[in-house]
Amino acid sequence: MPVASIPSGELAALGAATCWTASSLAFTAAGRRIGALSLNLIRLALGFALLTALCWIRRGLPLPTDAAPSAWGWLLLSGVVGFVFGDLCLFKAFILVGARVSMLVMALAPPIAAVLAWLWLDEGLGAVGVAGMALTLGGIAWVVLERNDGEGGRRRADPSGVALAFCGAVGQAVGLVLSKLGMKDYDPFAASQIRVIAGVAGFVIIISAVKWWGRVLDGLRDRTGMRLSATGAVLGPFLGVGFSLVAIQRTQTGVAATLMSTSPVLIIPAVILIHREAVSRRAILGALVAVAGVAVLWMRHS
């Protein structure tokens, strides 16, 4: 790997983590106003418009018509898995358990990718890999199982919300592997367009099947919800996803995944400052342990 490519890939990964941290807060608030299903379609449509404008300016092509058929296949599949399945689960988790716990559970995405590589590609984890996974799971469990109702009592996070966040992590892990298979040397933002096309199509089918178009129109009329959705769209499917593809293209996937998984740590000061959410020392320690576990898991090849 050329030395010059390392800083750009690592910076892109940190940029993706920062964007996802901010977008998760915006999407949590938007989802509680307009619903997770409506939000997913609206934010992907906005993201696609932004990506189209950017690609038109950068590449002279508003649409990814120069992508190879194999790239279309892998990236469309990645979009269905990552956006339709993964993000629908994640956004519902945002509503049920909030951004902080959801993003903490999402730190499982890199270990899940490692397990998939072990199962599908016969890549052994080794003792260090197993230790990294155990550390990550321990940090996440330490926070998720914390109980606190503000009155000296004890209450667990909503199990269904935690389960949905886990499904979101699975979707992201599989989507990341599929994206790398399809993208190779192709432009990351044009690759994002293909993934978003799949996401939009998937949500159009789902919304039509459940007859949700009235709720979508209600969401479009909610000015506050639309402002939050637009903010999240810029930071999420536009910049965040684009940066993540730049990262996996220009540096080792493990390094990129480690840096992108810092969202649980980045989100702690944000929820304290913006939502005035009380975050315990246990939550802070658990987040740090989880990310440390991801680092151990992925850096085992360094």
Side-chain angles (χ1 to χ4, degrees), residues 88-198:
L88 183 59
C89 292
L90 176 61
F91 283 37
K92 186 64 177 177
F94 282 161
I95 296 171
L96 293 176
V97 296
R100 180 178 61 82
V101 172
S102 297
M103 293 306 291
L104 185 65
V105 177
M106 285 294 290
L108 277 171
I112 291 170
V115 172
L116 293 176
W118 173 54
L119 293 174
W120 297 348
L121 306 176
D122 197 27
E123 295 180 357
L125 289 172
V128 176
V130 173
M133 289 186 63
L135 195 59
T136 302
L137 288 168
I140 291 170
W142 182 256
V143 175
V144 171
L145 297 178
E146 180 181 26
R147 304 161 178 250
N148 183 6
D149 64 7
E151 299 177 354
R154 299 174 73 79
R155 175 178 56 87
R156 290 185 180 180
D158 186 334
S160 61
V162 174
L164 285 166
F166 174 76
C167 290
V170 173
Q172 185 182 91
V174 177
L176 191 65
V177 173
L178 294 173
S179 292
K180 185 140 191 174
L181 284 171
M183 185 171 54
K184 296 182 180 178
D185 296 326
Y186 191 57
D187 182 82
F189 288 94
S192 292
Q193 277 185 295
I194 298 175
R195 295 187 72 226
V196 171
I197 287 171

Side-chain angles (χ1 to χ4, degrees), residues 46-47 50-52 54 189 192 232-243:
L46 291 172
L50 292 168
L51 286 167
T52 299
L54 177 65
F189 288 94
S192 292
V234 171
L235 295 169
F238 178 48
L239 293 177
V241 173
F243 284 154

Side-chain angles (χ1 to χ4, degrees), residues 12 23 29 32 41-42 47 67 73-74 98 110 115 118 127 132 143 152 166 175 200 203 227 269 276 281:
S23 67
R32 286 171 176 161
L41 178 60
I42 291 171
W74 287 117
V115 172
W118 173 54
V143 175
F166 174 76
V200 169
F203 281 112
R227 282 196 297 270
R276 308 296 182 186
R281 292 180 181 177

Side-chain angles (χ1 to χ4, degrees), residues 10 12 20 23 27 31-32 39 64 70 75 80 86 98 109 129 137 184 193 200 207-208 237 242 246 252 257 264 298:
E10 292 178 349
W20 286 339
S23 67
F27 286 145
R32 286 171 176 161
L39 172 61
S70 60
L75 291 169
V80 172
L137 288 168
K184 296 182 180 178
Q193 277 185 295
V200 169
I207 289 171
S208 298
V246 170
Q252 293 179 330
W298 284 107

